[in-house]
């Protein structure tokens, strides 16, 4: 079979395929709570993509950096919150490709704590050599980007803007590739009906997975856990629109609105703010499986995954795959929670 992604520029960054391992101890713990056996539980280790701490953005950045290089750009500009995993992986990807990197970090999460402002991803951004610009939460993002792009051009550089989370159609190709990787492995291992569950934020991961399923025509279904926006309906609409753009780029038909399943019950007060369920989920995975999650994305994602399994929401499938999208450096920023 020819690779449907071969025609897109791609700069290799990730260690692929990432492992898909079974969580037998978590399954036993949940079986006790449910008084019945849940589906088999697996974890897809995209925290092990290998680039400077790993995570889901590495897959997206293979296509985004590929595009930047093809366009002859020499400086990557992107944005995120102070503890953005996306910013850290973008800084590493730029370094690996020999490009400069400007990170615009918005001080948008009202989380108190010295470590939040110094350690975790922010410390790694510095070590990776990024040019870090911290902006207040209410800064006019458009004006900030225009200023930085103009500054780079005035210095003779050629900037390439990577959107927040790497979530445009080009970035989402990384999760089209991931969907094909997961579906192939599930096929080889002979699982029956299966589903992928993951934390969803800027939406490129979910959009790519959904578009990958359209490309394949069949395979594991996808269920996102919203860790980002209070308006779950608007976020679902935006992910569907991005999945449609990604499908158009691939030349396959557009996913329906129903293809985007997003659970809005696990966000808590707001993005980046801890919940008791997140803390319990991080501790549970660490102590039962020896797997480290993160406080902002995969901890809340796993809290949702556990709640859904215990509520019997996935009784229709044989195998459930939790997609571990990374973020472990964030634990250090939230040290006092643990
Ligand atoms: C660790 C981690 N998990 C999940 C996500 C969500 O991915 P997406 O923004 O593609 O929805 C992010 C995004 O920053 C992340 O850093």
């Amino acid at each position: 079979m020819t690779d449907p992604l071969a025609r897109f520029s791609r700069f290799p960054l990730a260690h692929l395929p990432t492992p898909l391992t079974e969580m037998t101890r978590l399954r036993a713990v949940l079986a006790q709570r449910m008084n019945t056996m849940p589906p088999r539980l697996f974890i897809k280790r995209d925290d092990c993509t290998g680039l400077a701490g790993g995570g889901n953005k590495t897959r997206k950045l293979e296509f985004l950096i590929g595009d930047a290089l093809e366009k002859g750009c020499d400086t990557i500009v992107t944005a995120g919150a102070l503890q953005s995993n996306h910013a850290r992986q973008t800084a590493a990807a730029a370094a690996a490709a020999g490009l400069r990197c400007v990170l615009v970090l918005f001080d948008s999460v009202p989380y108190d704590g010295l470590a939040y402002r110094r350690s975790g991803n922010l410390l790694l951004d510095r070590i990776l050599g990024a040019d870090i610009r911290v902006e207040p939460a209410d800064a006019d993002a458009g004006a900030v980007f225009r200023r930085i792009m103009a500054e780079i051009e005035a210095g003779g550089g050629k900037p390439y803007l990577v959107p927040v989370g790497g979530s445009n159609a080009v970035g989402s190709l990384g999760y089209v590739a991931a969907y094909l990787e997961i579906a192939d492995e599930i096929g080889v291992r002979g699982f029956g009906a299966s589903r992928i569950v993951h934390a969803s934020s800027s939406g490129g991961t979910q959009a790519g997975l959904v578009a990958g399923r359209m490309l394949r025509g069949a395979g594991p279904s996808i269920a996102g856990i919203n860790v980002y926006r209070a308006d779950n309906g608007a976020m679902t609409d935006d992910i569907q629109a991005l999945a449609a753009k990604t499908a158009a780029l691939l030349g396959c038909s557009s996913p329906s609105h129903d293809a985007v399943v997003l659970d809005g019950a696990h966000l808590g007060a707001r993005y980046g703010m801890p919940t008791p369920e997140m803390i319990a989920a991080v501790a549970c995975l660490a102590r039962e499986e020896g797997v480290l999650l993160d406080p902002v994305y995969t901890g809340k994602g796993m809290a949702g995954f556990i709640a859904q399994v215990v509520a019997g929401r996935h009784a229709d499938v044989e195998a459930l795959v939790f997609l571990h999208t990374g973020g472990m450096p964030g634990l250090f920023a939230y040290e006092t929670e643990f």
Side-chain angles (χ1 to χ4, degrees):
M1 210 198 299
T2 56
D3 178 359
L5 296 167
R7 66 194 164 88
F8 298 101
S9 305
R10 189 169 180 173
F11 183 77
L13 292 164
H15 300 176
L16 301 176
T18 56
L20 180 71
T21 58
E22 189 155 10
M23 299 188 285
T24 52
R25 290 180 55 80
L26 179 65
R27 188 179 188 217
V29 167
L30 299 190
Q32 269 193 343
R33 284 196 216 166
M34 298 166 71
N35 279 326
T36 182
M37 225 32 181
R40 288 176 71 185
L41 305 180
F42 294 85
I43 185 162
K44 175 68 172 170
R45 298 295 303 270
D46 273 14
D47 57 320
C48 300
T49 48
L51 178 74
N56 61 339
K57 307 305 175 186
T58 304
R59 288 190 189 259
K60 298 180 183 185
L61 285 159
E62 289 204 337
F63 290 94
L64 291 161
I65 297 286
D67 192 40
L69 291 171
E70 188 184 286
K71 294 189 161 94
C73 297
D74 58 17
T75 308
I76 306 293
V77 180
T78 198
L82 275 187
Q83 283 296 333
S84 167
N85 298 298
H86 162 68
R88 181 237 322 149
Q89 285 166 90
T90 303
L99 305 173
R100 286 191 293 276
C101 180
V102 179
L103 299 178
V104 183
L105 303 181
F106 292 98
D107 196 354
S108 55
V109 177
Y111 187 76
D112 261 344
L114 199 56
Y116 187 85
R117 298 177 167 279
R118 293 170 63 147
S119 183
N121 284 299
L122 198 49
L123 169 67
L124 302 183
D125 295 342
R126 290 215 171 84
I127 294 171
L128 290 162
D131 175 352
I132 300 167
R133 317 281 181 93
V134 177
E135 293 286 339
D138 60 356
D140 175 347
V144 172
F145 288 127
R146 280 193 296 279
R147 191 184 72 227
I148 290 173
M149 304 296 267
E151 177 195 313
I152 294 166
E153 281 162 358
K158 191 167 178 200
Y160 182 90
L161 188 61
V162 170
V164 170
S167 286
N168 57 14
V170 171
S172 295
L173 293 175
Y175 272 86
V176 172
Y179 185 85
L180 302 180
E181 185 179 305
I182 297 169
D184 284 347
E185 180 147 16
I186 283 177
V188 168
R189 288 166 72 167
F191 306 153
S194 40
R195 183 165 298 133
I196 303 166
V197 182
H198 67 96
S200 203
S201 171
S202 62
T205 300
Q206 189 160 2
L209 294 171
V210 167
R213 189 164 192 248
M214 291 306 293
L215 187 67
R216 231 342 120 75
S221 54
I222 297 127
I225 312 279
N226 174 359
V227 301
Y228 191 42
R229 281 165 70 178
D231 189 340
N232 199 60
M235 180 160 153
T236 307
D237 294 347
D238 288 352
I239 294 173
Q240 197 272 336
L242 181 53
K245 278 188 196 151
T246 311
L249 192 59
L250 290 163
C252 68
S253 46
S254 226
S256 70
H257 199 267
D258 292 350
V260 181
V261 174
L262 190 65
D263 182 348
H266 307 282
L267 171 64
R270 59 185 286 177
Y271 168 81
M273 296 306 281
T275 63
E277 295 80 10
M278 174 280 286
I279 291 166
V282 169
C284 176
L285 261 282
R287 290 162 202 187
E288 297 298 340
E289 298 286 349
V291 170
L292 292 168
L293 299 172
D294 86 282
V296 177
Y297 302 93
T298 53
K300 286 184 182 175
M302 179 55 73
F305 179 78
I306 290 173
Q308 291 181 348
V309 172
V310 170
R313 274 249 310 253
H314 301 294
D316 58 322
V317 298
E318 187 182 311
L320 268 180
V321 177
F322 181 79
L323 174 60
H324 189 337
T325 41
M328 196 267 266
L331 287 174
F332 298 102
Y334 287 78
E335 56 173 6
T336 51
E337 301 299 325
F338 302 94

